[in-house]
Amino acid sequence: MSKLIGIDLGTTNSCVSFIENGRAVVIPNTEGGRTTPSVVAFTKSGDRLVGMAAKRQAVTNVSRTFSSVKREMGTDHRYQVDGKSYTPQEISAMILQKLKSDAESYIGESVTDAVITVPAYFSDAQRQATRDAGVIAGLNVRRIINEPTSAALAYGFDKGQPCKIMVYDLGGGTFDVSILEINPETIEVLATAGNNHLGGDDFDQCIVGYMLDLFRKEHNRDLSSDPMAMQRLTEAAEKAKIELSASMETTVNLPFLAQGPAGPMHLEASITRARFNELTAHLVNATKGPVQQALQDAGLKPQELSRVLLVGGSTRIPAVQEAVRSLTGKEPARDINPDECVAMGACLQGGVLTGAINSLVLIDVTPLSLGIETLGDVFAKIIDRNTPLPCQHSQVFTTAANFQTTVEINVLQGEREVASANKSLGKFRLTGIRRALRGIPQIEVTFSIDTNGIVHVTAKDLGTNHAQDITISGSGNMSREDIDRAIRDAERYAAEDKQRKNQAQLKDKAESLLNQARRVRKKLKDADRSGLDAAVSELESAVSSGSDSRIRDAVDRLESILNAAGSYTSDPDNQQDDGAYDA
Ligand code: AMP
């Protein structure tokens, strides 16, 4: 049976886990890291790098390295490289492919199914895009679950004690806060709130802005349009930020940041924690509103919370922890790893789905209200935010004009009374409405949200029973054909990867055989050397021709000659190379 993995597809780092002996276990990547940078790069020689290898070369390959892709999920942003244009889903799929293949190497079995997490506050389009990325990567996405819920699952699994907790999740690019009720057999989300565009990247940008100002004052030069300098500044800013979580002061040292008329220009600056707190106070403050809103929606006072869990790398910032303390009056829990708990919760949820874990039910909620636009730019809410999933609600509407036979349904998500101030998820038309005076036709609009948080809308003319429906796919999403094409591309790439690996192995084998031939030749009498010499030069010329079939034939020939010479060893690498081949 193939395995299911839980994936935390993060803005900055991703993490993957699976269930082993009934417990969630984090899977290290092939480089040995427990999390993998969510970075993809295309090298000039046509290779694709994912993870740490991509992150390491970012400074020298700025325009062909893509990070923080999660921020663009569900938008129509495109990444251009070598005349090809990639959607955020396709780039994310490359990260997922690496996680999948690393998991397969670790587990030693194929992995087909996954539960992938998203920020609770992700919109429908962003969820669809995440699911599409999984499909492109060749994964059967069994469930999309919310990150804070997943963290609570990792925390609450096995705890058994009924309690209400808050999960404060500040990652690289998103902020979520959720209030959950944990019972021995159920975990129920009571409320969730957040901001899809607030995270560690913004803290880095504050430091970048500060350093740009310093550089401008010192050298009278604006570096903001120099991509390589900006990449170095961004990396240095993140490093400084992380250091400031542990120390009160840090220095940024960037030699040769730019070239001026009088020679190279350097940047050396020291930043204190107090200065960093000042620069980023507005970001920390921006998390307060959602915390208060989630508490209010859950009908709870801070003192009614048993625990506050901190999730996401940015919760290591001392000012963030201080804000949580002052908002809730609680010391945040430390018995959970903020980088790993989301992926662990995801595989536990997978375990529930596959039956590997029973007696645990997860009840999630929809993060934003849903409804349609009605006359006068008014938002008619059909499903309120924080409604438990799955859910289905209907409401009956009518026509606005006499003899109107068509209505356009504009599906909206948001909390504003004014329709146009909310986000439109998609539009569709219901035609063939029976001709009647305005106010007579009865049009029933039904919203349903599945357990992945994905929305489906139906409009039905109750007079004729004629219905129209859509599964929402926002403008940033991909059509079925686009997804199929991307799957083919991803499979082709996987096949190319395999071919490249086979080629490398073949070349390696050829090298080893040539080395072995050199050793064997020394032991042969002159008269016996000619066959070996011919096979060696044939293999050498095959290697320089680059033709796989020629190399394979020449390898076979040399192998059989070495065998006949009685010296062939099936593990030629174990022998020492003792010198060059001398003809
Ligand atoms: P996540 O999306 O949960 O992996 O969080 C990644 C974000 O956490 C990035 O912006 C990191 O720079 C940030 N981060 C990681 N470790 C620390 C730390 N010790 N102090 C401050 N920020 C951190």
Side-chain angles (χ1 to χ4, degrees), residues 57-114:
Q57 53 82 73
V59 169
T60 51
N61 190 23
V62 179
S63 62
R64 306 163 70 91
T65 304
F66 306 123
S67 55
S68 293
V69 175
K70 186 170 176 177
R71 287 190 158 209
E72 303 297 344
M73 290 294 261
T75 69
D76 44 22
H77 183 87
R78 295 290 178 269
Y79 298 89
Q80 313 287 348
V81 66
D82 295 334
K84 246 194 115 174
S85 160
Y86 295 93
T87 59
Q89 296 83 313
E90 286 172 290
I91 302 287
S92 294
M94 294 169 193
I95 300 166
L96 291 173
Q97 260 184 319
K98 171 168 171 62
L99 299 176
K100 174 177 184 279
S101 108
D102 284 358
E104 285 171 340
S105 316
Y106 182 84
I107 303 171
E109 274 179 55
S110 73
V111 167
T112 50
D113 290 17

Side-chain angles (χ1 to χ4, degrees), residues 8 10-14 169-173 199-201 204 238 241-243 245 311-317 338-339:
D8 169 10
T11 309
T12 322
N13 296 300
S14 295
D169 180 357
L170 188 60
D201 291 356
D204 301 344
E238 186 188 13
K241 171 190 74 176
I242 291 174
E243 279 167 11
S245 290
V311 177
S314 303
T315 57
R316 294 205 173 92
I317 297 172
D339 300 325

Side-chain angles (χ1 to χ4, degrees), residues 207 211 235-245 250-252 271:
I207 301 184
M211 293 194 293
E235 285 186 9
E238 186 188 13
K239 199 162 155 268
K241 171 190 74 176
I242 291 174
E243 279 167 11
L244 287 171
S245 290
T250 185
T251 49
V252 175
I271 307 177

